[in-house]
Amino acid sequence: TASTAFVKAFRALSPTTPMAGLSVSIIASELPKLNGLLGGVALGQVFPDAASPRSAMARTYQQHMREAGEEARIGASSLEGWLNAQVLIDALRRCGGDLKRDRLRSALAGMRKFEIQDFPLGFGAQAPYVASSYIDLAVLNAAGKRIG
């Protein structure tokens, strides 16, 4: 990706300069290409650490991944997909047997206070439909593992 190419080029010129980016700047599939280059990189995160034992929501996600035989895929991308699925499942339940586009949209917009364990979500009645205000800063070690 462009981010991978940038990190490689930047680290070649300045190996110790701190770097920061959004959570989507460094994706899991690119980590092997960046091995040894990610020490001190800080990423803004909009979801808790997928591997964290501290978050009840993350522990439930991890349990579901293990039960599905997908423990090796525990990570930020699959956590985001799992959370999105939990929201959709609840919205579908709220629709009852009358599943139509407008009804689903209303069910989602009506989710003002929805929690998945310790992770609060809630949509407003108007755009932009942003469900979470969570933000964290993840600092990576050289191998790309979260250390803080």
Side-chain angles (χ1 to χ4, degrees):
T1 68
S3 293
T4 301
F6 174 79
V7 170
K8 284 180 166 184
F10 187 81
R11 285 295 192 220
L13 294 173
S14 186
T16 60
T17 300
M19 296 177 67
L22 302 174
S23 58
V24 295
S25 300
I26 308 292
I27 58 176
S29 62
E30 295 294 295
L31 289 177
K33 298 174 189 172
L34 294 169
N35 193 28
L37 301 176
L38 294 172
V41 170
L43 299 175
Q45 304 267 281
V46 295
F47 294 107
D49 180 9
S52 174
R54 292 178 285 173
S55 166
M57 179 273 300
R59 287 192 309 270
T60 300
Y61 151 76
Q62 293 162 18
Q63 177 185 343
H64 288 175
M65 291 294 283
R66 282 191 295 275
E67 288 170 359
E70 296 292 341
E71 188 169 5
R73 293 184 179 208
I74 289 175
S77 295
S78 60
L79 172 64
E80 184 175 354
W82 180 84
L83 276 168
N84 288 330
Q86 301 311 303
V87 170
L88 181 59
I89 289 166
D90 195 77
L92 291 168
R93 283 188 186 123
R94 291 172 188 233
C95 287
D98 185 24
L99 181 58
K100 294 184 175 112
R101 179 182 177 184
D102 289 344
R103 189 147 163 83
L104 179 59
R105 187 179 182 287
S106 293
L108 286 165
M111 297 172 86
R112 299 284 193 276
K113 291 190 178 193
F114 176 68
E115 289 189 9
I116 301 174
Q117 276 86 33
D118 57 349
F119 191 70
L121 297 165
F123 295 97
Q126 299 178 32
Y129 297 105
V130 178
S132 173
S133 60
Y134 180 90
I135 189 156
D136 195 9
L137 190 62
V139 179
L140 307 179
N141 67 13
K145 298 286 184 193
R146 185 179 174 137
I147 56 173

